Amino acid sequence: MSITTDQLRARAADTFWLRLAAVALPLLMIAPAFWNGYPLLQWDTGGYLARWYEGYLVPSRSTVFGLYLHYGENFGFWTNLAVQSLATLWLLQLTLRVLGLMQNFRFVAISLLLILSTALPWLASMLLTDIFAGLSILSLFLLIVGASRTSVLEKVSLFVFTAFAAATHSATLGVLLGLCAVGWMARPFLGRRLPIAGLAQASLTIVAGGLMLVSANHALSGKWAWTPGGIGVAFGRMMQDGIVARFLNDHCPRESFKLCPYRNELPATADEFLWGKSMFNTLGRFDGLNDEMGTIVVQSLADYPAWQAGAALRAMGQQLLHVATGEGASVWIPHTYGIIERYIPAQVAPMRAARQQNWGLDFDYVNWLHMPVALVSMLGLLALLGHALAHRKLDDLTLLAATVTLALLGNAFICGVISGPHDRYGARMVWVATFVVLMALFRSIGDDDEPADEASAAARQEVEHAGLVDLVADRAHVVAARNIEHFRAGDDRT
């Protein structure tokens, strides 16, 4: 049985487009940075960059991510963007392959749609931890579910990547920890769908990420400590909800708090209090107020439990709807500029020449598309889960949809309740929902009832049993292979 000229031409064309995509997609994934002329910066970028140089811990600024950025300084941080772009495409491709949906056209089409319609390329183009938040959901899922469909090298890579992502931001670590906890609770009901070995490996990434962070903190500051700041951020959210003012009014007549003289002058938002020119600076910032803020946070939880619960639920709901791209990147960010000027003077000229630093970055037009896509994608996840529940079907794609839904809810709870709702926290996660919905759509309009790779693998196995391993693995050739074996057997008998 021979392969026709048309088939050879089709294979050659497929190879050409695959090679073209291999070159073009990594560049398109960081196209916003190329357009900008420099990696995108954000309000928080400077705090991470300074960790190598300042030698002390700063609230909510991971030293692990700071070291990651430091090693890209000599290359203008383009190596960091290259890592982020390639890691993104690797995890998209690996997810499709593990779920049996990998086809060259499908991979390229989904990647292009994500680049065009979500925050993904902006996250990959930015010097910020946010790109790793969404990617870590995919890597954790693949560690648990894809154990039998990935190589040893891929397992090791997924483990290291997930641990690193957990170490870059406490909220990311919290979401991953919550997913692992839910996985262990669901294991008795789902059985082999959640392998114990996979759950154990995923859980160990949380431990490894924690050790990575504490070790980096010690290496840079000399202290065996966790990154500070959680209490202060939670205090800011409670102040924004009016809980702190009520607490001070109730307690200041009897107790002496540093904030008592300022109880009628508290800023309206947590950002103004923590990062603006407020009494927080006057009273010594985190060093001067951390103990007092911790006391107020704990006691107010006991004093106003119903108020706290209602505020937490509202914050979580609002966070789910805060999904706009670009928060903190299209405003004046003097701290980040100052850190680069002080510690990395070689980067000042290209940084100052970028469009972003010349007020050329406006996300309003981008969000006309991104926000509707994000909100529709979350509804699509619910529709996908509802369809699976109605048909009593739990395949790997449905399991991924459930994982992403839980991740979005966990992220909304952690970020909304502790920090207060911000678009940045939603945008860095919601693109994963779009990815899952696109996979479901492409599967539904595919030619085959089975996922491509699963069908091919099954067909190839049948062909191999027939002793014709060089045949193209599709059903027509399997039938042909069986017929040939039948005729051969007849000839032997003759």
Side-chain angles (χ1 to χ4, degrees):
M1 190 171 182
S2 61
I3 298 175
T4 67
T5 303
D6 289 341
Q7 287 173 327
L8 291 174
R9 287 176 179 170
R11 287 185 181 183
D14 191 54
T15 301
F16 169 77
W17 288 112
L18 182 60
R19 289 176 179 173
L20 182 63
V23 174
L25 285 179
L27 299 178
L28 290 173
M29 190 59 71
I30 52 174
F34 288 123
W35 169 85
N36 184 53
Y38 193 75
L40 298 178
L41 305 174
Q42 202 262 3
W43 184 270
D44 294 345
T45 304
Y48 293 107
L49 288 171
R51 299 289 45 81
W52 172 263
Y53 298 98
E54 294 179 346
Y56 57 86
L57 304 181
V58 172
S60 303
R61 300 293 177 263
S62 164
T63 53
V64 172
F65 189 73
L67 288 171
Y68 163 77
L69 291 182
H70 172 68
Y71 290 119
E73 289 175 9
N74 292 334
F75 304 94
F77 302 107
W78 290 103
T79 51
N80 300 99
L81 299 196
V83 168
Q84 291 167 193
S85 174
L86 294 173
T88 300
L89 292 167
W90 169 60
L91 284 168
L92 295 181
Q93 176 270 341
L94 189 58
T95 303
L96 286 166
R97 201 195 81 203
V98 167
L99 269 61
L101 295 169
M102 181 60 195
Q103 290 178 344
N104 293 339
F105 171 78
R106 186 178 289 164
F107 167 62
V108 172
I110 289 176
S111 298
L112 289 176
L113 287 171
L114 290 173
I115 288 170
L116 292 171
S117 65
T118 73
L120 184 56
W122 298 92
L123 299 174
S125 298
M126 193 171 293
L127 301 180
L128 200 62
T129 63
D130 291 4
I131 183 62
F132 298 104
L135 292 178
S136 65
I137 305 306
L138 296 179
S139 61
L140 188 84
F141 176 83
L142 293 173
L143 263 180
I144 297 173
V145 173
S148 62
R149 287 162 273 179
T150 52
S151 67
V152 173
L153 179 60
E154 287 170 335
K155 289 183 180 68
V156 172
S157 300
L158 288 169
F159 186 95
V160 173
F161 181 89
T162 309
F164 171 77
T168 62
H169 201 283
S170 295
T172 301
L173 186 146
V175 171
L176 297 177
L177 179 60
L179 290 176
C180 288
V182 172
W184 283 111
M185 288 187 288
R187 176 64 175 69
F189 304 99
L190 298 181
R192 290 183 297 176
R193 301 307 303 271
L194 296 176
I196 291 179
L199 283 170
Q201 291 172 15
S203 302
L204 286 174
T205 63
I206 312 300
V207 178
L211 292 175
M212 196 183 297
L213 180 60
V214 171
S215 299
N217 286 350
H218 180 265
L220 293 184
S221 71
K223 297 179 180 178
W224 291 104
W226 197 261
T227 302
I231 288 292
V233 175
F235 176 90
R237 196 273 303 168
M238 293 181 186
M239 186 206 68
Q240 186 169 292
D241 289 332
I243 295 173
V244 171
R246 169 70 179 276
F247 179 90
L248 292 174
N249 286 328
D250 289 347
H251 288 262
C252 282
R254 303 185 308 275
E255 301 177 60
S256 178
F257 288 104
K258 295 178 183 178
L259 283 167
C260 282
Y262 303 95
R263 63 183 183 274
N264 296 320
E265 305 170 20
L266 295 174
T269 68
D271 287 340
E272 291 177 63
F273 178 75
L274 294 172
W275 315 116
K277 296 179 180 179
S278 71
M279 67 286 299
F280 187 58
N281 296 335
T282 305
L283 298 174
R285 295 189 62 78
F286 290 98
D287 288 338
L289 272 181
N290 209 53
D291 291 341
E292 181 168 307
M293 289 190 297
T295 299
I296 293 174
V297 166
V298 173
Q299 289 189 19
S300 64
L301 286 170
D303 289 356
Y304 320 113
W307 190 355
Q308 291 277 17
L313 288 174
R314 283 193 302 273
M316 181 180 177
Q318 291 168 6
Q319 180 59 72
L320 285 171
L321 299 177
H322 279 64
V323 291
T325 300
E327 184 186 28
S330 59
V331 295
W332 189 48
I333 45 178
H335 180 256
T336 295
Y337 300 155
I339 292 297
I340 292 176
E341 291 170 352
R342 186 183 312 165
Y343 297 121
I344 322 172
Q347 293 299 314
V348 172
M351 181 267 290
R352 287 292 184 187
R355 283 186 168 91
Q356 182 184 16
Q357 280 61 257
N358 290 280
W359 301 96
L361 192 60
D362 186 354
F363 286 96
D364 288 342
Y365 297 105
V366 171
N367 282 314
W368 284 354
L369 176 62
H370 286 192
M371 290 185 66
V373 169
L375 296 174
V376 169
S377 296
M378 287 191 286
L379 291 176
L381 277 185
L382 295 179
L384 187 60
L385 292 175
H387 180 269
L389 184 62
H391 291 79
R392 298 178 178 272
K393 180 182 180 182
L394 181 61
D395 57 10
D396 285 342
L397 185 58
T398 304
L399 196 58
L400 177 58
T403 301
V404 174
T405 302
L406 289 172
L408 289 173
L409 292 172
N411 178 71
F413 178 80
I414 292 171
C415 295
V417 171
I418 295 178
S419 300
H422 287 77
D423 283 305
R424 174 194 161 193
Y425 302 141
R428 69 187 183 186
M429 297 285 288
V430 74
W431 68 265
V432 189
T434 309
F435 177 46
V436 175
V437 171
L438 285 173
M439 283 194 288
L441 289 174
F442 272 86
R443 186 179 68 172
S444 67
I445 62 177
D447 294 332
D448 298 323
D449 293 333
E450 294 181 83
D453 278 5
E454 289 181 1
S456 296
R460 184 171 294 278
Q461 185 176 22
E462 292 185 72
V463 172
E464 287 172 352
H465 288 168
L468 299 173
V469 295
D470 292 331
L471 288 179
V472 178
D474 61 27
R475 295 194 179 280
H477 288 94
V478 170
V479 173
R482 286 175 172 166
N483 290 339
I484 290 170
E485 282 297 296
H486 173 75
F487 290 131
R488 283 181 177 171
D491 289 342
D492 291 340
R493 285 194 300 270
T494 302

